[in-house]
Amino acid sequence: MSATRLPGTPRLLRALNDRAALELLLERGPLTRARLGELTGLSKVTASQLVERLEERGLVTRVGEQAGGRGPNAQLYAVRPGSAYVVGVDVGAERVVAACADITGTVAGRAEQSTKDTDDPVGVVHNAVMQAASSAGAELSSVRRVVLGTPGLVDPGSGDITFAFNLPRWHSGLLAALREDLRIPVVFENDVNLAAVAEAQSGAAQETGDFVLVWVDAGVGLAIMLGGRLHHGSSGAAGEIGYLPVPGAPIPRDVSKRAKPAFQQLAGADAVRAVASEHGFPAEHAADAVRAAIAAGTAGGRMLDELARRLALGVASTCVVLDPPLVVLAGEVGRAGGAALAERVQHEVAAITLVRPRVVSTGLTEEPILRGALRTALDAVRDEVFGSTVG
């Protein structure tokens, strides 16, 4: 058995070394061959061979020189941005926003398309992806993956979306149609899950392998991160806390219809506006009402207390099952509530359950779904590109 493995060992080591070097170049910026050798523990000769190999494959390029010492200046190397591109797409009820990033993660192009006056989702996505890639100077053939964040469920088997009620023309079979149209890998992911990916990358959940993200916006949703990985559930419905049967609201018995489920009735945007109005903070948008209550200081405390009690029903139900150390409040309402709302929710959850997770407001200020889509696409493409560096 061992004899059959030996011929593959040098190849495997080269692949591991190449991947380590590429990751270091992404994390630390341009490096010399000598510095790469130091950081990877490789000899100067092996490090030089590694860099030459990656240059030949078009994955790294020379970007300058580093002066120092007596001899010639050392060449600086970096990952070649144009070696691959990805596109992330945030699909909303009124518009589609697409961004194109190179393999280093730099966003180089962007496009928006309205979804109001069309019954052709394939055409909308096609135009947004093409425009984003074009504005980034990327040929479509160099775009290795498109990740679309949408409301609703993503079927783990087919990859299609279902129950996207505010996107009536987005239905089963759309994924295959998009792949056929674009001729590149296309993936759907739930929008709240992507927000959690972004939160883990650069928000309030950095360095936290286990956490839940509660999305409070027009609707309410939940993303579950366990061991640094999203938990989707057997049908893709993990985190649909809008359907929690909580006290204080009637429970619809036919989820295929558009009747609002119980927790959604208590904590969605419509409910937030109603609570705010009752306490003297009427506003067109729920987030504005929350901000007005916070700005009012003590006078807004009762409104925030009531909202926290409602949110705590969903958060507590989740936390007594998963017992996460961290809960992140996100979405327009969660972000608007900031620490004032998060602290109240933390207190309420501790008051009604045995668990005491830390509750914080999102650390991201803009486009978490789009950022999560790009990150998801980049992780997959880097695995493909960096994992195939040895011929």
Side-chain angles (χ1 to χ4, degrees), residues 125-138:
V125 174
H126 175 94
N127 290 338
V129 170
M130 294 295 288
Q131 289 177 22
S134 177
S135 63

Side-chain angles (χ1 to χ4, degrees), residues 303-326:
M303 181 267 180
L304 295 174
D305 289 343
E306 173 61 21
L307 178 55
R309 280 192 290 269
R310 292 177 175 223
L311 289 173
L313 293 175
V315 174
S317 298
T318 300
C319 289
V320 293
V321 175
L322 298 174
D323 194 13
L326 178 68

